[in-house]
Amino acid sequence: MIFKPAALLVTGGAGFIGSNFIHSFMANNHRCTVTNLDCLTYAGNLKNLTALEGNPNYRFVKGDIGDASLVARLLAEQKIDAVVHFAAESHVDRSITGPEIFVRTNVLGSQVLLEESRKHWQSGSVADFRFLQISTDEVYGSLGTTGYFTEGTPLAPNSPYSASKAGADLLVRAYHETFGMPTLNTRCSNNYGPYHFPEKLIPLLIHNIINKKPLPVYGDGLNIRDWLHVRDHAVAIETVLKKAAPGSVYNIGGNNEWKNIDIVNLVCDLLDERLGRACGENRTLISFVKDRPGHDRRYAIDASRLKDDLGWGPAYTFEQGIAETVDWYLANQEWVAEVTSGAYREYVATQYGGGVS
Ligand code: NAD
Ligand code: TYD
């Protein structure tokens, strides 16, 4: 049975993955309304969504997932039948220097959203309902040189970020087990693509190379991540939302493992060519720096359950995806400049009377 949502509440839709998901979902689902609830932290950028201004099926609400009365009102007023929950503090390095906001948003905020969703679902005002928690492979901890994370791998988070995501995942599980709430949970590997905030590895590299700034590589650069194009992730989320059985958990991955240093070299070389620099010139910017505390060594996802049950697989090859991503950043230098200068905050202020949090 395919679940066909009529009114989606997307949280954190002004961020990297949320904005890509809204673009992708709205292009495929013309009759579904989308309400985007985002409190616009430093990572929320309405410029990611300007193409949707004036679309009658799209509505942006500036607000916090931890605001129970606002969430309750939106669920009821908009007759929401599916919540897709992206809103989070998402950067591991920030969670090391300031873990408290990670617990507040990722654990307590998610609990408020779950609780208001439970009341709304139990009120019977919508015929069917789904709550989809967007999570990360980082909840499983770190792998050695072999093996893959499956959905059965025990949760063993190592950073305050991944611990807070695991906390939310466990609450989602509990709401399904205790109340029978129709929840879904996806756990994805590292994403890359357009609208990625340049504090994360790939956009940081592109930005620093263009500006001839050092490229910080943590530790020995041999940590491994499994990279997935954000648009493939968006399609996977839509697939799970529509086709997965309530209560299920799905891993999402690109089957695309890379050592960090190999990604750094690849992006350097692509940009040597794009920027007309000498072969090897950008690699001279590489700077090995002190390692991240508790730095997970390797992530690798077994996404075969998603392929076998629901037929999803990535469409992008990494060669195509990374080349397109580099080209997107080169073509959107204004977006990057506004993000790095903080000017995108002024755009938010013009829309919300200066009331940015
Ligand atoms: P992001 O940091 O780019 O965006 C997060 C968004 O959430 C921002 O728009 C921010 O304003 C909003 N937000 C934060 N706190 C909020 C609150 N209290 N109320 C309302 N909105 C709030 O993050 P992202 O990279 O797009 O990640 C989205 C989700 O996907 C997160 O839950 C993250 O854990 C998960 N995830 C990310 C990756 C990745 O590679 N980026 C991989 C797997 C899973
Ligand atoms: P990141 O993009 O922060 O994602 P995550 O920590 O969630 O995997 O980092 C990806 C990898 O790149 C991770 O192993 C840390 C490393 N890294 C660097 O070596 N230098 C950097 O400047 C950053 C931001 C990350």
Side-chain angles (χ1 to χ4, degrees), residues 65-357:
I65 55 166
D67 181 343
S69 57
L70 171 64
V71 171
R73 183 164 61 74
L74 289 177
L75 290 167
E77 271 178 13
Q78 304 297 314
K79 297 191 171 32
I80 298 295
D81 58 2
V83 175
V84 184
H85 177 33
F86 295 94
E89 290 294 330
S90 68
H91 191 38
V92 173
D93 292 330
R94 286 178 188 256
S95 82
I96 295 166
T97 52
E100 196 255 339
I101 185 69
F102 284 74
V103 176
R104 191 151 20 105
T105 297
N106 301 0
V107 184
L108 299 176
S110 297
Q111 195 276 328
V112 170
L113 198 62
L114 274 165
E115 181 60 11
E116 294 313 315
S117 297
R118 176 184 73 79
K119 291 186 209 157
H120 172 66
W121 162 65
Q122 286 183 329
S123 75
S125 55
V126 287
D128 204 354
F129 186 76
R130 296 287 185 277
F131 183 104
L132 171 45
Q133 154 78 357
I134 306 298
S135 190
T136 164
D137 59 355
E138 304 191 23
V139 297
Y140 297 121
S142 183
L143 290 165
T145 49
T146 59
Y148 296 90
F149 297 132
T150 70
E151 291 82 357
T153 302
L155 304 194
N158 291 319
S159 72
Y161 163 67
S162 53
S164 66
K165 293 296 291 184
D169 285 12
L170 292 176
L171 284 166
V172 168
R173 177 190 153 87
Y175 269 68
H176 178 70
E177 294 297 323
T178 305
F179 305 112
M181 189 161 137
T183 62
L184 300 163
N185 195 169
T186 56
R187 297 184 180 134
C188 190
S189 59
N190 287 62
N191 284 217
Y192 69 98
Y195 305 123
H196 206 178
F197 198 87
E199 65 182 351
K200 307 279 171 62
L201 180 66
I202 288 179
L204 179 91
L205 292 173
I206 299 170
H207 176 67
N208 284 12
I209 291 170
I210 292 170
N211 294 289
K212 298 194 174 182
K213 284 162 61 179
L215 310 176
V217 176
Y218 299 164
D220 60 9
L222 299 179
N223 302 66
I224 291 174
R225 298 292 182 263
D226 172 359
W227 293 92
L228 180 72
H229 196 282
V230 67
R231 291 188 185 131
D232 279 332
H233 188 189
V235 173
I237 292 167
E238 183 176 341
T239 304
V240 170
L241 180 66
K242 290 181 172 170
K243 295 190 185 169
S248 52
V249 177
Y250 282 98
N251 283 349
I252 307 174
N255 198 19
N256 179 45
E257 288 181 53
W258 283 78
K259 292 188 186 82
N260 289 342
I261 189 64
D262 292 338
I263 294 259
V264 177
N265 286 331
L266 175 71
V267 175
C268 282
D269 297 350
L270 272 172
L271 278 162
D272 277 342
E273 194 248 295
R274 298 291 199 278
L275 298 172
R277 293 183 187 165
C279 185
E281 187 178 335
N282 289 329
R283 290 192 188 200
T284 63
L285 297 168
I286 293 171
S287 165
F288 286 91
V289 298
K290 197 162 159 279
D291 208 357
R292 170 190 282 173
H295 194 176
D296 286 336
R297 193 61 172 170
R298 174 171 168 259
Y299 303 143
I301 281 266
D302 176 351
S304 56
R305 177 187 281 184
L306 184 53
K307 184 165 192 304
D308 296 345
D309 288 2
L310 309 182
W312 176 89
Y316 278 87
T317 63
F318 192 60
E319 289 68 22
Q320 177 200 1
I322 194 76
E324 272 186 33
T325 301
V326 164
D327 289 337
W328 186 88
Y329 280 89
L330 287 171
N332 289 276
Q333 280 298 292
E334 198 186 324
W335 180 91
V336 179
E338 284 179 358
V339 168
T340 49
S341 73
Y344 70 111
R345 312 293 297 161
E346 285 159 29
Y347 176 71
V348 171
T350 61
Q351 312 263 311
Y352 294 96
V356 291
S357 53

Side-chain angles (χ1 to χ4, degrees), residues 8-13 18 21-22 34-38 82-86:
L8 229 59
L9 176 65
V10 173
T11 70
F21 171 77
I22 291 176
V34 173
T35 301
N36 175 12
L37 173 64
D38 195 304
V83 175
V84 184
H85 177 33
F86 295 94

